[in-house]
C-alpha cells in the first residue's frame, strides 16, 4: 500500500516533467487512423464510441483501442488490449508489449477518452506518437492539441463536436 503511494508520487513527478517538454507541432495530414485510450473504470460504452466514429466515415479497421482498468481479475478475458497501473514501472515505463506497441503507432488522431487524470493514462497519452491529440478539458491542458468540454458519458456529444471541429480544421 505504502509502496503504491510512493510509486504514484514518482510517476506524477515524471508526468509533470514530461508534459513540460510537449511539442504541439501541427501537421496538416487528414485523419485516417485513430487510436483511442479509454478509462473503463468510469466509462463502459467503448463500442458505442467506435460506432459513433464509424458513422462519421471512419473505417472500423482503422480504429485501435487501448483500455485502462483499475483492476483485472484472473478470470477476465478481453478482445482488446488492457492495461492497469500495475503495468507501469517505477521509471514510468510500461512492461506490457501491447501498451508499448500502441504508443509507438503513428496515429493521425489520438482520442484520450478519460476525464480523470491518472498517471498511467497520462503517460500512455504523452508517449503516443500521434500527430493530433484530442481529449476532455478536465485533463491537463498541455497533453492535448484540442479539448472538448463535456462529460465522458456523453459520447455522442463528444463525437459530434469532434467531427465538427475536425471539419473546420480541415482534418477530414
Amino acid at each position: 500500500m505504502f509502496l503504491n503511494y510512493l510509486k504514484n508520487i514518482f510517476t506524477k513527478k515524471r508526468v509533470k516533467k514530461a508534459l513540460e517538454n510537449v511539442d504541439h507541432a501541427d501537421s496538416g495530414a487528414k485523419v485516417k487512423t485513430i487510436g483511442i485510450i479509454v478509462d473503463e473504470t468510469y466509462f463502459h460504452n467503448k463500442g458505442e464510441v467506435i460506432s459513433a466514429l464509424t458513422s462519421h466515415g471512419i473505417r472500423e479497421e482503422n480504429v485501435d483501442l487501448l483500455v485502462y482498468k483499475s483492476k483485472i481479475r484472473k478470470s477476465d478475458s478481453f478482445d482488446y488490449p488492457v492495461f492497469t497501473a500495475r503495468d507501469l514501472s517505477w521509471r514510468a515505463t510500461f512492461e506490457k508489449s501491447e501498451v508499448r506497441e500502441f504508443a509507438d503507432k503513428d496515429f493521425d488522431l489520438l482520442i484520450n477518452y478519460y476525464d480523470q487524470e491518472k498517471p498511467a493514462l497520462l503517460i500512455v497519452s504523452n508517449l503516443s506518437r500521434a500527430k493530433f491529440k484530442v481529449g476532455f478539458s478536465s485533463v491537463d491542458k498541455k497533453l492535448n492539441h484540442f479539448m472538448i468540454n463535456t462529460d465522458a458519458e456523453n459520447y455522442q456529444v463528444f463525437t459530434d463536436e469532434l467531427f465538427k471541429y475536425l471539419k473546420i480544421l480541415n482534418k477530414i
Side-chain angles (χ1 to χ4, degrees), residues 122-139:
L122 294 173
I123 288 176
V124 172
S125 299
N126 189 39
L127 290 176
S128 175
R129 296 173 47 189
K131 297 175 182 95
F132 193 71
K133 298 178 184 180
V134 176
F136 290 94
S137 61
S138 60
V139 180

Side-chain angles (χ1 to χ4, degrees), residues 9 12 20 35 38 49 56 61 66 86 117 146 156 162:
I9 289 174
K12 286 179 183 179
E20 290 174 0
V38 176
V49 172
H56 285 284
E61 58 268 8
L66 182 66
R86 288 182 168 233
E117 291 184 0
F146 183 71
Q156 193 64 43
L162 173 64

Side-chain angles (χ1 to χ4, degrees), residues 56 146 148 157-172:
H56 285 284
F146 183 71
I148 297 174
V157 172
F158 181 86
T159 54
D160 289 343
E161 289 293 312
L162 173 64
F163 279 95
K164 179 172 85 172
Y165 285 104
L166 285 177
K167 286 179 184 176
I168 290 171
L169 295 171
N170 201 21
K171 295 274 187 191
I172 55 173

Side-chain angles (χ1 to χ4, degrees), residues 3-4 6-19 83-96 99-100 103-104 118-128:
L3 290 176
N4 286 335
L6 284 176
K7 183 178 174 181
N8 278 338
I9 289 174
F10 288 131
T11 306
K12 286 179 183 179
K13 282 186 178 183
R14 290 253 180 171
V15 167
K16 281 186 177 181
K17 190 173 189 178
L19 289 178
F83 73 104
T84 65
R86 288 182 168 233
D87 297 324
L88 188 63
S89 73
W90 283 75
R91 294 179 171 239
T93 59
F94 285 95
E95 299 163 2
K96 207 167 193 179
V99 179
R100 289 194 313 257
D104 287 340
K118 295 180 181 173
L121 292 167
L122 294 173
I123 288 176
V124 172
S125 299
N126 189 39
L127 290 176
S128 175

Side-chain angles (χ1 to χ4, degrees), residues 13-132:
K13 282 186 178 183
R14 290 253 180 171
V15 167
K16 281 186 177 181
K17 190 173 189 178
L19 289 178
E20 290 174 0
N21 301 326
V22 173
D23 181 25
H24 285 291
D26 184 31
S27 70
K30 302 284 185 186
V31 173
K32 294 178 185 143
T33 58
I34 297 177
I36 306 172
I37 302 172
V38 176
D39 182 3
E40 201 174 68
T41 309
Y42 302 106
F43 182 75
H44 301 285
N45 300 334
K46 57 194 163 300
E48 284 83 358
V49 172
I50 293 173
S51 63
L53 292 173
T54 56
S55 70
H56 285 284
I58 302 296
R59 296 175 49 193
E60 191 170 344
E61 58 268 8
N62 291 341
V63 177
D64 284 347
L65 183 68
L66 182 66
V67 176
Y68 173 84
K69 290 184 74 81
S70 58
K71 292 183 181 180
I72 297 177
R73 296 183 186 97
K74 291 185 181 186
S75 62
D76 290 343
S77 63
F78 304 102
D79 298 335
Y80 42 84
V82 176
F83 73 104
T84 65
R86 288 182 168 233
D87 297 324
L88 188 63
S89 73
W90 283 75
R91 294 179 171 239
T93 59
F94 285 95
E95 299 163 2
K96 207 167 193 179
S97 63
E98 293 94 355
V99 179
R100 289 194 313 257
E101 289 171 7
F102 184 87
D104 287 340
K105 287 185 181 178
D106 289 325
F107 295 113
D108 296 324
L109 175 67
L110 177 70
I111 299 174
N112 295 314
Y113 206 87
Y114 54 89
D115 57 359
Q116 297 210 351
E117 291 184 0
K118 295 180 181 173
L121 292 167
L122 294 173
I123 288 176
V124 172
S125 299
N126 189 39
L127 290 176
S128 175
R129 296 173 47 189
K131 297 175 182 95
F132 193 71

